[in-house]
Amino acid sequence: MRNDKYHVIVVGGGLVGASLALALGRAGRRVALLEAREPDFAELEQGWDARVYAVSPANRRFLDGIGAWPDMGRVGTIATMDVRGDAGGRIAFSASDAGGDADALAWIVENRWLLAAIWRRLRDDGVEVLTGAPAAAMSTTPGEARLTLADGRELRAELLVGADGANSWVRGQLGLQASVKPYGQSGVVANFICERPHGDIARQWFTGDSVLAWLPMAGNRISMVWSTSDPQALLQLPPQALAARVAEAGGRQLGAFETITPAAAFPLRLIQPEAVVAERVALVGDAAHTVHPLAGQGVNLGFQDAAQLAALLTDAPDCGDWMLLRRHQRQRREAVAAMQMGCDGLYRLFHAKLPGLPWLRNTGLSLTNCLAPLKRQFARQAIG
Ligand SMILES: Cc1cc2nc3c(=O)[nH]c(=O)nc-3n(C[C@H](O)[C@H](O)[C@H](O)COP(=O)(O)OP(=O)(O)OC[C@H]3O[C@@H](n4cnc5c(N)ncnc54)[C@H](O)[C@@H]3O)c2cc1C
């Protein structure tokens, strides 16, 4: 290898790309991370981030392992999930139902704290961070991948990784077709202070035409993710009215709410590319897949892409070896397809209007709640 050639160039410094670059940098690989704009963490302590993630125990271990688990002071814990159907169905499960040694189903972490925890380590761990000049062109040969930046710089690597989000530029350059299915819904997110303690319980309601989730944050705060076909109805509400609407939608289980972040919305789509590897290129994170957020697993799938690809590349003699890339694709295909089908199936089950279906889906939930092996399966799925 000539010394101007990287082992890996990662395009996109979101959570998935940055964590992959960090894992590879710590393993001694020569890595460049290209990000359109360097994130600014100067005002990290100010306010709260409405975009939060439920990070699974497996991904907490991955982030701990690369020294990027954020300060515990701002991290919430999901000890129990309490899920209700639209006609009396209910299932509740805790980490102990999974039968392992996990003491939480997931941890709730704000987007920018997680991103800051990763980015603050990048340069110290040997990652070359390139910001300010977007990618302008890419090409591959059987021996290497080449990337040209808008400022004229030419980079070469054994492997180029596209971690550049749902509208991936890298995926487009490869000419890979992706099936994109809009759900006709948006996820509306906002944070609230609640009157009563949340008890580390994540609460979720399938209402028939929307899915509402309250995720327990640190202190007496919750983060809402409301998947709805009418996001404007929530976005246009002044803070007090929004708080009242959200508290009411959950039957005021946690008393009155006070809004602490304005509501924001993001479109929900199921994205499935025809492949996630090509000659000298791999896709990870939202570039490789998106899912409905009703199980909160979008970013967890992405972190697992990063963890498993990093493990494959740590000692690889050639990071872009085709057999290795095929192995990566095989390893991830089943987990990603299972999560996409599971979330899509639940979405359809709870949005279909067929007669008798509300009874069936609610009875199914409540039955699962009573059957220990099925419930264990639910809990294990949540832990990841
Ligand atoms: C408002 C909002 C709320 C969300 N809430 C949740 C939630 O509650 N739970 C959940 O699991 N998921 C949620 N998601 C989805 C979640 O954010 C994504 O699944 C996750 O961020 C994917 O990470 P990623 O690193 O793959 O992609 P991204 O976070 O999209 O990062 C891609 C990065 O690539 C950079 N980039 C793009 N193009 C280029 C280029 N050509 N050159 C260089 N850099 C480039 C971008 O600047 C960006 O930093 C939410 C999304 C939004 C928008």
Side-chain angles (χ1 to χ4, degrees):
M1 187 183 81
R2 280 189 10 214
N3 63 4
D4 63 340
K5 183 167 162 181
Y6 296 96
H7 287 114
V8 181
I9 298 170
V10 180
V11 179
L15 291 171
V16 177
S19 64
L20 172 64
L22 180 57
L24 292 171
R26 285 168 73 88
R29 307 263 75 175
R30 188 162 180 234
V31 191
L33 176 66
L34 180 72
E35 167 54 45
R37 53 187 178 278
E38 175 134 13
D40 178 7
F41 302 115
E43 304 203 336
L44 196 57
E45 313 273 340
Q46 308 289 318
W48 295 82
D49 194 338
R51 197 191 313 190
V52 304
Y53 300 108
V55 179
S56 69
N59 286 326
R60 180 176 173 171
R61 282 194 295 279
F62 167 58
L63 293 166
D64 263 333
I66 58 173
W69 184 247
D71 165 42
M72 285 303 289
R74 303 266 300 212
V75 176
T77 304
I78 301 183
T80 305
M81 282 285 307
D82 184 353
V83 182
R84 296 172 191 236
D86 54 339
R90 184 174 182 186
I91 181 169
F93 54 91
S94 305
S96 57
D97 289 313
D101 56 2
D103 53 2
L105 288 168
W107 290 270
I108 298 296
V109 192
E110 293 158 84
N111 176 60
R112 60 195 173 125
W113 278 78
L114 203 44
L115 202 58
I118 300 168
W119 266 77
R120 282 178 172 162
R121 298 208 63 112
L122 286 171
R123 291 181 176 91
D124 288 348
D125 282 314
V127 176
E128 286 184 45
V129 179
L130 309 170
T131 53
M138 61 173 270
S139 63
T140 63
T141 67
E144 65 182 22
R146 295 182 189 142
L147 189 67
T148 308
L149 308 192
D151 61 8
R153 270 178 294 172
E154 304 264 354
L155 311 176
R156 303 183 310 122
E158 292 175 1
L159 176 68
L160 189 143
V161 176
D164 49 349
N167 301 318
S168 174
W169 173 84
V170 173
R171 195 177 67 217
Q173 293 294 302
L174 291 171
L176 282 176
Q177 298 300 312
S179 136
V180 180
K181 190 181 100 184
Y183 281 108
Q185 289 193 329
S186 291
V188 180
V189 291
N191 297 342
F192 305 90
I193 294 175
C194 42
E195 193 183 8
R196 288 204 283 274
H198 51 57
D200 294 335
I201 300 171
R203 296 168 169 83
Q204 190 169 38
W205 293 266
F206 287 84
T207 68
D209 55 6
S210 74
V211 187
L212 170 65
W214 291 356
L215 305 172
M217 299 177 76
N220 61 335
R221 301 174 191 86
I222 63 117
S223 185
M224 165 194 86
V225 185
W226 199 338
S227 307
T228 167
S229 50
D230 188 8
Q232 279 312 321
L234 297 168
L235 295 175
Q236 72 190 9
L237 292 176
Q240 246 182 329
L242 177 70
R245 174 89 182 80
V246 174
E248 205 55 53
R252 292 179 64 87
Q253 282 189 19
L254 299 178
F257 282 5
E258 181 190 328
T259 304
I260 50 174
T261 59
F266 63 105
L268 306 183
R269 294 174 294 171
L270 176 66
I271 301 183
Q272 297 169 300
E274 57 183 316
V276 299
V277 296
E279 181 180 78
R280 299 271 156 197
V281 181
L283 301 175
V284 293
D286 276 17
H289 44 68
T290 62
V291 292
H292 194 287
L294 58 81
Q297 293 299 325
V299 87
N300 281 311
L301 280 179
F303 279 138
Q304 279 302 293
D305 292 348
Q308 295 194 11
L309 186 57
L312 276 183
L313 300 182
T314 294
D315 297 314
D318 175 358
C319 291
D321 176 68
W322 179 239
M323 297 311 285
L324 201 72
L325 297 184
R326 290 282 305 272
R327 208 160 125 208
H328 168 69
Q329 174 159 276
R330 259 198 325 273
Q331 271 185 356
R332 297 304 298 140
R333 184 181 283 143
E334 202 182 315
V336 169
M339 189 57 72
Q340 286 182 319
M341 274 164 49
C343 293
D344 196 54
L346 260 180
Y347 170 84
R348 286 163 183 280
L349 184 64
F350 275 92
H351 287 74
K353 305 276 184 242
L354 293 175
L357 208 55
W359 175 84
L360 194 66
R361 62 200 178 205
N362 284 278
T363 308
L365 263 191
S366 299
L367 259 178
T368 306
N369 198 35
C370 300
L371 296 171
L374 269 183
K375 193 155 145 168
R376 190 173 314 126
Q377 210 44 46
F378 250 70
R380 286 192 177 149
Q381 193 70 31
I383 282 175

